[in-house]
Amino acid sequence: MGKALALDFGTNSIGWVTSDTQTSNLIKCGVRIYPTQNIGNTSTKQRRNTLHMKIFEEEIRYPEKGDKFFIESGDEDDIAWLHQVFQNFGGYADSYQASALSLIDTALEEQEFKDLHVYPIIFLIRHYLELRLKELIIGLSYCKSQNRHFPKTHDIQHLWSKFKQSYSEIGENTNDKRFKSVDKLIKEMSKVDPNSMTFRYPDGSDHKYNHINLNNLKETFIKVSFLFDGVAIQIAHYVDITADLVQSVYENFHP
């Protein structure tokens, strides 16, 4: 088998590909980015000079007849469980929270990937906030009116305001320092990503940031998560009490 090497020289990078000269099939490909000096305020560090796409670690292969994205059989270690017990706002929020934290840790451990991971990281965090707030609103709605209504919106500023209103209506305090700190954080996230589009599509980006400190992002996210998750546990307890009372009334007074 003969091999051919093709190079593509750009102003900021070199792309390369090797192929089989007999079949023209690709064997390996990659790209190297030239060093960029003194980005932002990092006076003691230079940006890495290699953009290492994860896909380039894989052997090249292409779709074949019969391939599917979703199958339910296989090795037990390869199977993820899509169970109904997790298919609610709380379960989804837990999933996005765990994925965000795992991806941040991966980005910090594998420095060559951190610029690639940052977009899904922020999306996961933002979507956790939306899901958790909707979970809280649904729980409070059930406690007050025995329904599960919630605002059909991606606007987390609106969701946060709706949650605080409902939470205060059952006698809880939303004016302590923790809630006031979250007020500012929700406003910050809402300004950067008002409708959950900024970090999903390149044409949705409209913010002032060029760099994100991932350690700080993780720490702030953990703090917010502890508050939101604690309130979620509290409201879940209130929901259980409400459900028991409704059941008791039904059993004792229903004709």
Side-chain angles (χ1 to χ4, degrees):
M1 176 183 70
K3 295 182 181 180
L5 171 66
L7 299 175
D8 179 20
F9 293 91
T11 57
N12 298 308
S13 63
I14 299 176
W16 59 270
V17 61
T18 57
S19 62
D20 186 324
T21 56
Q22 294 181 346
T23 65
S24 297
N25 289 336
L26 298 181
I27 300 173
K28 198 77 172 177
C29 59
V31 63
R32 292 295 180 267
I33 309 299
Y34 302 151
T36 302
Q37 302 294 327
N38 297 327
I39 289 182
N41 296 321
T42 55
S43 59
T44 61
K45 295 183 178 179
Q46 292 183 349
R47 187 181 178 83
R48 71 187 189 282
N49 62 6
T50 301
L51 178 61
H52 187 172
M53 300 291 287
K54 194 75 173 176
I55 191 66
F56 295 153
E57 296 181 2
E58 297 287 336
E59 178 184 350
I60 295 175
R61 49 197 185 273
Y62 300 101
E64 300 175 352
K65 183 178 179 180
D67 284 347
K68 294 181 179 180
F69 281 113
F70 306 106
I71 63 172
E72 295 186 276
S73 60
D75 189 286
E76 182 178 350
D77 291 339
D78 298 335
I79 304 299
W81 195 28
L82 294 175
H83 195 272
Q84 289 293 329
V85 71
F86 300 120
Q87 294 183 12
N88 53 52
F89 281 99
Y92 268 51
D94 292 342
S95 297
Y96 279 86
Q97 179 194 71
S99 296
L101 292 172
S102 294
L103 197 54
I104 291 174
D105 288 341
T106 298
L108 291 171
E109 291 169 4
E110 302 178 4
Q111 289 286 302
E112 67 271 26
F113 297 117
K114 65 182 178 182
D115 292 350
L116 304 177
H117 288 322
V118 66
Y119 299 101
I121 285 171
I122 301 175
F123 171 75
L124 291 169
I125 290 174
R126 200 255 183 230
H127 201 52
Y128 159 84
L129 296 174
E130 178 181 331
L131 290 166
R132 188 66 87 207
L133 285 171
K134 287 180 176 178
E135 175 198 5
L136 301 180
I137 292 169
I138 289 170
L140 290 167
S141 181
Y142 181 78
C143 291
K144 293 191 299 178
S145 306
Q146 288 74 65
N147 63 57
R148 300 186 183 277
H149 297 161
F150 65 94
K152 306 296 196 295
T153 180
H154 297 299
D155 185 344
I156 58 172
Q157 186 69 60
H158 175 72
L159 293 171
W160 173 244
S161 298
K162 175 63 176 175
F163 157 70
K164 287 199 302 177
Q165 176 187 346
S166 299
Y167 196 53
S168 62
E169 286 175 355
I170 65 169
E172 299 292 345
N173 179 22
T174 60
N175 291 314
D176 70 19
K177 62 181 181 180
R178 299 169 302 168
F179 281 84
K180 289 184 180 296
S181 295
V182 175
D183 277 336
K184 295 180 180 179
L185 292 170
I186 292 293
K187 185 178 294 185
E188 178 189 22
M189 181 64 80
S190 185
K191 184 177 181 180
V192 171
D193 191 358
N195 294 304
S196 192
M197 295 293 179
T198 301
F199 297 96
R200 285 204 286 173
Y201 303 103
D203 58 355
S205 299
D206 184 22
H207 56 80
K208 64 181 180 180
Y209 299 103
N210 293 316
H211 310 97
I212 300 291
N213 183 314
L214 293 178
N215 258 319
N216 174 76
L217 180 65
K218 177 182 178 181
E219 178 65 14
T220 302
F221 180 48
I222 288 172
K223 291 177 180 178
V224 173
S225 291
F226 272 120
L227 178 61
F228 277 22
D229 292 4
V231 174
I233 293 171
Q234 177 193 32
I235 292 177
H237 178 61
Y238 291 166
V239 167
D240 289 341
I241 293 174
T242 303
D244 288 343
L245 289 173
V246 170
Q247 181 67 24
S248 176
V249 169
Y250 180 84
E251 291 176 348
N252 289 291
F253 297 100
H254 193 274

